[in-house]
Amino acid sequence: MPSRFRCYPMTKYFPLLLALAGCGAADHSLLTLTPAKPLFDVPALLGKDIDQVLGILGPAQPQDLEPTPAQVQLGATQWDHSFVHDTATLLVSYDARTRQVRDFFLMTQHGTAADYIPLLKLANVKGTEPQLLIQPERVPAPQPLYRGIRFRAAKP
């Protein structure tokens, strides 16, 4: 009884199999080699008050309201505004009375990152600026994950 299946030589289909095998592979080297372009220029924002920051970055998120005089009189000392650009959010905290910026916190909309170096690039920070204190904030997890980076002006 003849077989219903024919055996084909593998050499005929080897290039096709090789091409199909590569279709599912992802090239993650592009993600690590492509530098992130800066979305915010944090070093240029150092020493500015919140009104100057608003002038540079534009309006904050609509839900970010200014503190009312009553809130300031009742003791509201810290307030913040958030600025969203692409997939990153810059949270700017400032003193509600003096309007001086206290710090900047940069985070991504992805929630966490395995490495904080790309976040430095998004903030236009090299990591060696003497006028800047950099504090990566980790998520309590078994593996190192970062939720964002806090930037403060260094004390002279």
Side-chain angles (χ1 to χ4, degrees):
M1 174 178 202
S3 172
R4 292 178 18 185
F5 301 104
R6 292 180 72 181
C7 185
Y8 292 101
M10 196 62 172
T11 56
K12 180 178 178 181
Y13 296 102
F14 187 70
L16 177 64
L17 290 173
L18 203 59
L20 289 174
C23 286
D27 185 11
H28 297 291
S29 63
L30 291 175
L31 295 174
T32 56
L33 295 178
T34 305
K37 72 173 188 158
L39 299 178
F40 301 101
D41 192 359
V42 170
L45 299 174
L46 284 179
K48 307 272 192 265
D49 63 30
I50 191 61
D51 298 311
Q52 293 168 320
V53 170
L54 286 164
I56 294 169
L57 296 180
Q61 291 299 299
Q63 68 270 20
D64 291 345
L65 302 173
E66 291 289 331
T68 65
Q71 289 170 318
V72 173
Q73 192 174 21
L74 288 173
T77 57
Q78 184 169 329
W79 213 260
D80 55 67
H81 283 306
S82 54
F83 302 88
V84 177
H85 193 287
D86 288 344
T87 61
T89 301
L90 185 67
L91 185 69
V92 181
S93 299
Y94 64 97
D95 186 304
R97 290 188 179 138
T98 65
R99 304 198 51 84
Q100 287 299 310
V101 172
R102 291 182 173 181
D103 62 33
F104 304 91
F105 185 74
L106 181 66
M107 59 190 149
T108 68
Q109 293 175 353
H110 304 296
T112 58
D115 187 10
Y116 67 88
I117 300 301
L119 292 173
L120 289 176
K121 292 177 183 177
L122 292 176
N124 198 27
V125 172
K126 293 181 181 85
T128 58
E129 293 84 354
Q131 76 276 18
L132 196 60
L133 291 176
I134 302 168
Q135 298 173 300
E137 291 195 12
R138 290 184 59 180
V139 174
Q143 66 273 18
L145 292 174
Y146 297 92
R147 127 183 145 84
I149 301 180
R150 189 168 306 281
F151 302 97
R152 290 190 173 111
K155 304 278 185 203

